[in-house]
Amino acid sequence: AAASAEPSSLSEPLSACVTRWKALALGWQRLHAPHVSYFQLVRCAETELSSSERAAVRKDIARSSHPAAVRTNMAFNAELHAQSLERVLCAWVVYDSEIGYVQAMNLVGATLLALLGGDEEAAFWTLVTLLRQLPAEFYARAPLQLLGFWVEVELLSQLAERLLGLRDMRDALLQITPRWFLQWWVGTLPLSSLILLWDQQLTQAAQCATPSSLNLQIALAILQLQRPQLQRLCGTARVEDTQVMYELLQGVRIPETNSGWLLTSALKIPLCDKTVQAMRLQLRHVILERTSRHEPLLPSASRLEHVCVGLPLLDKEHDSGLFMQQRLLLPLHEPSCALWLVSLSVLPLLTAALTSFVIIFHEWGTQQAHLLRTSRQFVSWVVLRVDSATLLLILSLIAIKACWRMRLRRALAVGTAVGLGYTISKAVALFIAGVPRFHHACYHINYGDDASRRALDSFDVGSVLGDIHGRFCPTSAW
């Protein structure tokens, strides 16, 4: 619910968002780490941190960019900024020694320091609050290095296929997601969009204890933006096309004039939190099983099977209708609009099948059906009624089952169209065969006796309509 609500930061100046970060981060610290002091962590880092860990931090600090400082009016001192960033990152290593320092943390820390005016304590607790929004073992060390990150990539790949119809995006996502997820969108999004994204993350951290899905929503919004170009390349399984898809995603440009556009688009994709958490757990289990048996390295060489196929991907309470096609037989990205319209006939098919069976049982129980059972028309009666109703029922049940089998949708749509054509033709035949005068005329024409001329003479539109009215609209009550 928090992820789907309209953020108040969209109507606020960006400076107000940054000012609120310190209060949000310190509020998180009082709730989750009330006895931990940043300055105490800095003093511990001076004595407890190994030379190799400090060297790794300093190496990345020298390569840190300062995108935020370039666009602010604050006086920026690169040397003092580097010293402050080193203290913040070393304090993080002491605070969470299990994870330690991971590359790209320097980019996030440098941006936070520049935005917060060099306030080290506020930058540190803001960094901690953001990192605690990540899934479990996101920064896991060897031998399962970055296990949570690879789970998130596999999850995004399956969401892109099931929600957007972008198949075979996995290889391209494996290349682009380190810039998205590990760098927390630094260098990918404009500064204004980045501030709004982090503000939403910090707001969610104060309201929800589960890992956030906002990064997935942002990624899906970017894929939605590039969807027309990506669709032409998906499904080819060629290395050249994978490289082109990666370059498309790498070169995506978010409009800076409308800073809230990306966040608004992302929040219109209301992912179901329970389904996302279940998919994370199942994908983690599959990856661990593969790693222990066949593939000792991450990521997996081959794509993983879809998980949680029967669970809804979108939150029904906050479904904006943008991805309504998830619950249809055919998604909207199918090339033929006619096939998509056929998918809407699943419910009418099922209703028609049940209605046909009710009519059959009703006819079978009448006196006319009793005489029919002893006549030569029994086989014709069965063919005209039972097979059409059975076909309708079978198509309906298969269509309902196919809602959980995404790969059968195209084939099933074609089969449904064929079945509808057959059913309509049989219905027309049933309708015409039920008119006594027309049946009588055809009988005499086929046998060529003298009564054919009299039958044709008596066959006119008025008499046919009268027979239809007498058959389907009897004067007696049902």
Side-chain angles (χ1 to χ4, degrees), residues 341-462:
L341 292 176
V342 167
S343 67
L344 298 178
S345 63
V346 174
L347 184 59
L349 273 174
L350 184 60
T351 306
L354 297 178
T355 305
S356 299
F357 276 110
V358 171
I359 294 175
I360 288 171
F361 285 122
H362 179 266
E363 289 185 0
W364 188 259
T366 60
Q367 184 65 22
Q368 183 180 1
H370 174 72
L371 298 176
L372 189 62
R373 288 196 293 267
T374 61
S375 66
R376 296 179 180 179
Q377 298 179 355
F378 173 72
V379 176
S380 175
W381 184 85
V382 172
V383 170
L384 284 174
R385 289 164 174 80
V386 177
D387 67 334
S388 297
T390 305
L391 179 63
L392 280 168
L393 182 61
I394 292 175
L395 285 175
S396 304
L397 295 179
I398 294 177
I400 295 173
K401 179 63 177 176
C403 293
W404 287 271
R405 297 293 300 274
M406 307 289 289
R407 299 179 182 178
L408 297 179
R409 286 183 172 180
R410 286 192 183 184
L412 184 66
V414 176
T416 306
V418 174
L420 278 176
Y422 169 77
T423 304
I424 292 173
S425 64
K426 292 298 293 288
V428 172
L430 238 174
F431 184 76
I432 295 177
V435 180
R437 292 181 181 273
F438 183 77
H439 177 74
H440 182 69
C442 293
Y443 173 82
H444 288 292
I445 290 174
N446 290 334
Y447 285 89
D449 58 10
D450 296 336
S452 60
R453 184 168 148 324
R454 293 192 302 272
L456 288 176
D457 290 339
S458 64
F459 180 75
D460 56 83
V461 175

Side-chain angles (χ1 to χ4, degrees), residues 1 10 12 19 38 44 46 69 121 127 132 152 184 186 210 229 240 259 289 298 325 346 362 426 467:
L10 294 180
E12 296 177 349
T19 304
Y38 166 72
C44 293
E46 294 175 355
E121 184 181 17
L127 176 65
R132 286 295 184 258
E152 208 73 356
W184 276 89
V186 175
T210 58
Q229 294 85 353
E240 298 82 2
S259 57
E289 186 178 6
L298 293 176
Q325 67 267 31
V346 174
H362 179 266
K426 292 298 293 288
D467 289 331

Side-chain angles (χ1 to χ4, degrees), residues 14-288:
L14 298 179
S15 57
C17 298
V18 176
T19 304
R20 186 170 56 247
W21 290 2
K22 182 174 182 179
L24 291 173
L26 293 180
W28 187 94
Q29 179 259 339
R30 287 191 296 270
L31 184 62
H32 299 279
H35 303 295
V36 180
S37 168
Y38 166 72
F39 301 101
Q40 184 180 1
L41 292 173
V42 172
R43 289 193 296 269
C44 293
E46 294 175 355
T47 57
E48 297 180 6
L49 212 62
S50 65
S51 57
S52 59
E53 291 175 322
R54 189 174 291 274
V57 171
R58 288 177 176 174
K59 181 180 179 180
D60 282 350
I61 288 177
R63 298 181 295 187
S64 299
S65 59
H66 316 290
V70 176
R71 305 184 188 186
T72 55
N73 296 324
M74 56 170 285
F76 181 74
N77 188 311
E79 183 177 356
L80 294 178
H81 179 84
Q83 295 175 2
S84 298
L85 181 57
E86 180 179 345
R87 286 192 290 270
V88 170
L89 295 179
C90 290
W92 162 260
V93 175
V94 175
Y95 177 76
D96 195 333
S97 57
E98 184 178 354
I99 294 178
Y101 173 74
V102 180
Q103 281 187 341
M105 287 184 181
N106 60 308
L107 299 176
V108 183
T111 307
L112 287 174
L113 269 175
L115 287 173
L116 292 169
D119 189 336
E120 295 182 21
E121 184 181 17
F124 171 78
W125 287 115
T126 304
L127 176 65
V128 172
T129 307
L130 288 175
L131 296 182
R132 286 295 184 258
Q133 289 293 294
L134 296 173
E137 299 182 295
F138 192 85
Y139 290 117
R141 293 186 174 183
L144 299 175
Q145 192 166 8
L146 302 179
L147 173 62
F149 166 73
W150 298 122
V151 169
E152 208 73 356
V153 176
E154 298 288 351
L155 175 57
L156 176 60
S157 175
Q158 296 196 8
L159 290 176
E161 180 173 351
R162 293 172 60 180
L163 286 176
L164 301 176
L166 299 176
R167 300 184 58 187
D168 300 326
M169 284 289 300
R170 180 177 181 271
D171 293 338
L173 292 176
L174 288 174
Q175 299 180 51
I176 194 63
T177 45
R179 295 191 58 186
W180 290 357
F181 295 163
L182 293 180
Q183 296 184 14
W184 276 89
W185 307 98
V186 175
T188 300
L189 302 183
L191 181 63
S192 55
S193 300
L194 186 65
I195 291 175
L196 292 177
L197 169 60
W198 286 358
D199 184 75
Q200 183 70 8
Q201 290 275 16
L202 294 170
T203 304
Q204 290 184 15
Q207 299 173 354
C208 184
T210 58
S212 173
S213 301
L214 188 56
N215 281 333
L216 294 172
Q217 293 172 287
I218 293 290
L220 288 172
I222 293 178
L223 293 176
Q224 173 78 3
L225 178 65
Q226 299 289 76
R227 183 180 176 189
Q229 294 85 353
L230 294 173
Q231 275 187 322
R232 293 193 290 266
L233 301 170
C234 289
T236 59
R238 295 189 303 180
V239 179
E240 298 82 2
D241 292 339
T242 301
Q243 184 62 26
V244 173
M245 286 190 288
Y246 166 71
E247 292 174 356
L248 278 173
L249 296 176
Q250 186 181 26
V252 65
R253 293 292 179 265
I254 307 300
E256 297 188 36
T257 55
N258 187 2
S259 57
W261 173 84
L262 181 62
L263 182 59
T264 303
S265 301
L267 295 179
K268 288 181 180 179
I269 311 174
L271 295 177
C272 181
D273 185 66
K274 293 182 179 179
T275 302
V276 170
Q277 303 304 331
M279 292 180 72
R280 282 171 175 160
L281 291 176
Q282 289 198 24
L283 287 171
R284 181 179 180 276
H285 174 73
V286 173
I287 291 177
L288 289 177

